Amino acid sequence: MQTPTPNSIGRNALITVGDIDGVPAKVDTGADTSSVWASGIREENGELHFYLFDEGSDYYTGEEIVAYSGCYQQVRVDSSTGHAQKRYVVVLPVIVEGKRLEARFTLADRRAMAYPVLLGRNFLAGQFVVDVSQEIHTDIDLSLHIQKRARRRAA
C-alpha cells in the first residue's frame, strides 16, 4: 500500500483558527512548535483563560477562550536566539489548505511579529510538504514590521 502524498503548502498561508477566518500564518520549518498570538492569558482555579489576538488586531473578536484542567500545559520554549521562556500550550481547531485539523499552539504575544500565527514542524510533519516558491499575498506590510524590529534592537 502506497503512503498518500501530503498536501503542498507555501511559505505562508491564510488559515482559520477556531472560528476566525483568513488569518495569515507563517510556515516555519525551523520552529519545532506552532505559536498563536494570545492576550489576557491567566490561569485561575485550574483553568486557562485567554483571548486569541489582541484588541489592536483585525482578528480579535473579544471572545474569551477557556481551557479546562488537563487540556493545557506549560512548556519551556527556547528561541533561535537562545532566549528561554515558559508558555502555555493548547490544542485549537484549524483549517489549513482546506484540511480541518487540530493543532498544538504555544500562546505568545506576537504583536511585534509579521504574522500572528506560526506553523512549526510538529504540525507540518506528515500533513504538508513545504514549497517555498509558493506564497500568498496578504495585507501585511512586512516592511513596517522589519522597521519596528530594527528600531527596538537599536534602542
Side-chain angles (χ1 to χ4, degrees), residues 20-24 37 52-62 116 139-141:
I20 306 168
D21 294 325
V23 179
W37 181 7
L52 287 177
F53 313 108
D54 199 353
E55 290 180 17
S57 167
D58 293 339
Y59 309 104
Y60 180 76
T61 65
D139 292 336
I140 295 174
D141 185 350

Side-chain angles (χ1 to χ4, degrees), residues 111-115 140-154:
R111 89 181 77 218
M113 302 296 167
Y115 290 89
I140 295 174
D141 185 350
L142 295 178
S143 64
L144 291 177
H145 291 284
I146 291 167
Q147 290 170 8
K148 285 180 189 175
R149 278 184 269 176
R151 281 195 296 266
R152 276 195 306 275
R153 279 189 222 132

Side-chain angles (χ1 to χ4, degrees), residues 9-11 26-35 77-82 87 110 118-125 130 132:
I9 191 170
R11 62 178 130 182
K26 178 182 178 180
V27 175
D28 188 349
T29 59
D32 286 331
T33 56
S34 298
S35 182
V77 176
D78 296 316
S79 72
S80 58
T81 61
R87 291 190 193 165
R110 295 187 57 82
L118 182 137
L119 299 175
R121 276 194 315 268
N122 293 342
F123 172 74
L124 298 166
V130 179
V132 295

